[in-house]
Amino acid sequence: MPEFPEVYTISQDLKKNIIGYKIKNIQVFKYYKLPSPINTKLKNTIGLKILDVENIAKNIVIKLSKDTYIVFHLAMTGRILLRESSHKDDNWVKIVLELERNDKILHLKFADMRQFGKVLVLNKQGVSTLANKYGLDPLEEKITPEKFLEQIKSKKTNIKNVLLDQKIISGVGNIYATDSLFLSRIHPKTSTQDITLEYATKLLKSIRQVLREGIKNRGSTLPDKMYVDIFGKEGHQQNHFKIYLKQKCPMCNSKVEFIKINGRGTYYCPTCQLYKNFKDKKLTKEENKNQKKLF
Ligand SMILES: [Zn+2]
């Protein structure tokens, strides 16, 4: 499932490649269940010019002329691909936007194998309503550990669940939540009410580290190969996972535990990630060295 680094990579690449193009035509595949009002609105964007692309949490927002925005949410298996018009062999394509600038044609394709993804056509007000549904953005510099802790504590659940709750903290998905909990040595089942300011500070720092690293590595492509960038290429963050998909802890060499929290596969080290007991076990010299090697 694409998370913030993947969606950010897609929207930044689109920004570099499609601004100034006009929508020449739109093709919606016959068996794709696009609600008819959205279909009509989408067809009405023909002739509009692309002015900007950004992302709001995990939504890709394409700003067009005439106060119109096309929004894609990729959910589980959505993809956005940008191809030359001659490129035909993409799987699961549901919508094709034919783009034109100075006689050059590009195809922006929305593909979605399992069809949980969403397409919306909004105006500016609709985009701000959408933005208001999301919680704080951990990459925003002005977010302090105090504010972050307040948000965490606003929900009585475990820390892993709250990190995935987009209404509270936006953009962190399963992989990056798992890895940042490991880096901050917090057991994923720790109650939000037991998180101290010291650990909230560590966690915020870890989230920023893994998200930034994920962006630098153009996202994660898992063994299912679902995530690719707009050119069809895989990301590299999977080669830098901290504990996600690992069998042995890279810090202490213990066997990694795998559990499901709210249906989502979660990896953690039972030695390094303490539960409730925040009286920290000191890292050995070797563990310290291993920790430094993680980035
Ligand atoms: Zn460990």
Side-chain angles (χ1 to χ4, degrees):
M1 180 189 283
E3 301 185 28
F4 185 86
E6 292 76 37
V7 172
Y8 181 83
T9 302
I10 292 169
S11 57
Q12 290 299 305
D13 283 348
L14 285 177
K15 195 179 168 100
K16 282 180 209 142
N17 287 282
I18 64 169
I19 290 180
Y21 277 81
K22 259 189 183 165
I23 300 181
K24 192 177 180 239
N25 203 0
I26 294 183
Q27 208 185 336
V28 177
F29 283 71
K30 209 162 88 186
Y31 300 106
Y32 182 49
K33 302 166 284 180
L34 187 66
S36 117
I38 298 178
N39 200 334
T40 308
K41 281 186 183 176
L42 199 58
K43 293 283 162 69
N44 287 340
T45 65
I46 293 173
L48 300 183
K49 194 172 171 183
I50 297 169
L51 304 179
D52 200 6
V53 185
E54 59 165 356
N55 65 294
I56 295 173
K58 294 192 233 172
N59 298 278
I60 296 152
V61 182
I62 302 175
K63 182 183 182 187
L64 306 173
S65 48
K66 296 202 173 159
D67 190 26
T68 307
Y69 298 76
I70 298 179
V71 179
F72 291 103
H73 192 290
L74 304 178
M76 303 284 287
T77 57
R79 283 176 174 170
I80 298 284
L81 296 157
L82 188 66
R83 302 290 201 188
E84 301 287 333
S85 49
S86 56
H87 189 108
K88 300 282 179 225
D89 47 353
D90 286 314
N91 290 322
W92 314 301
V93 174
K94 304 299 178 222
I95 297 173
V96 179
L97 308 188
E98 195 179 320
L99 311 180
E100 182 183 38
R101 186 178 68 178
N102 304 331
D103 295 329
K104 185 172 163 60
I105 304 276
L106 288 176
H107 283 177
L108 192 156
K109 300 177 180 180
F110 172 64
D112 194 4
M113 180 178 78
R114 293 183 63 186
Q115 303 191 30
F116 293 120
K118 268 196 188 133
V119 187
L120 297 169
V121 180
L122 302 173
N123 58 18
K124 195 173 180 181
Q125 202 191 345
V127 171
S128 13
T129 309
L130 177 76
N132 287 337
K133 284 187 192 161
Y134 291 95
L136 64 81
D137 171 0
L139 286 179
E140 251 197 50
E141 290 297 334
K142 62 174 192 260
I143 304 295
T144 60
E146 287 80 6
K147 176 76 193 154
F148 180 62
L149 181 61
E150 189 189 310
Q151 284 291 100
I152 288 173
K153 290 203 187 243
S154 69
K155 201 163 171 183
K156 286 195 173 127
T157 177
N158 62 60
I159 186 67
K160 171 85 189 306
N161 274 342
V162 92
L163 291 183
L164 297 192
D165 189 332
Q166 301 298 304
K167 288 189 222 85
I168 295 182
I169 293 148
S170 78
V172 183
N174 197 41
I175 298 171
Y176 297 91
T178 299
D179 273 355
S180 43
L181 285 169
F182 169 66
L183 288 175
S184 31
R185 308 181 66 207
I186 301 171
H187 190 293
K189 278 193 170 169
T190 307
S191 158
T192 52
Q193 305 309 304
D194 288 335
I195 301 286
T196 57
L197 182 60
E198 184 197 348
Y199 274 77
T201 309
K202 285 185 190 185
L203 183 56
L204 181 60
K205 187 177 159 213
S206 306
I207 290 173
R208 287 174 170 162
Q209 277 177 318
V210 293
L211 290 180
R212 287 193 185 118
E213 193 188 38
I215 289 167
K216 195 181 90 197
N217 289 316
R218 303 183 55 78
S220 320
T221 301
L222 295 178
D224 66 7
K225 306 285 178 204
M226 272 323 298
Y227 168 71
V228 289
D229 67 15
I230 63 168
F231 311 109
K233 294 209 166 71
E234 293 178 14
H236 308 290
Q237 181 63 14
Q238 66 279 12
N239 305 322
H240 305 270
F241 284 163
K242 312 305 170 199
I243 196 151
Y244 195 80
L245 297 181
K246 302 266 186 226
Q247 304 205 331
K248 281 200 167 163
C249 171
M251 281 207 335
C252 74
N253 224 19
S254 300
K255 188 178 172 288
V256 168
E257 298 277 338
F258 175 78
I259 49 171
K260 289 216 165 173
I261 298 180
N262 211 1
R264 310 297 306 276
T266 308
Y267 298 79
Y268 73 97
C269 171
T271 313
C272 295
Q273 286 167 270
L274 306 174
Y275 182 42
K276 278 191 185 176
N277 180 11
F278 284 115
K279 270 188 239 124
D280 219 338
K281 156 178 112 57
K282 278 250 184 317
L283 291 182
T284 63
K285 256 192 186 157
E286 168 126 25
E287 285 167 357
N288 225 325
K289 232 167 64 195
N290 291 342
Q291 192 182 37
K292 286 199 179 108
K293 277 193 262 170
L294 287 170
F295 281 95

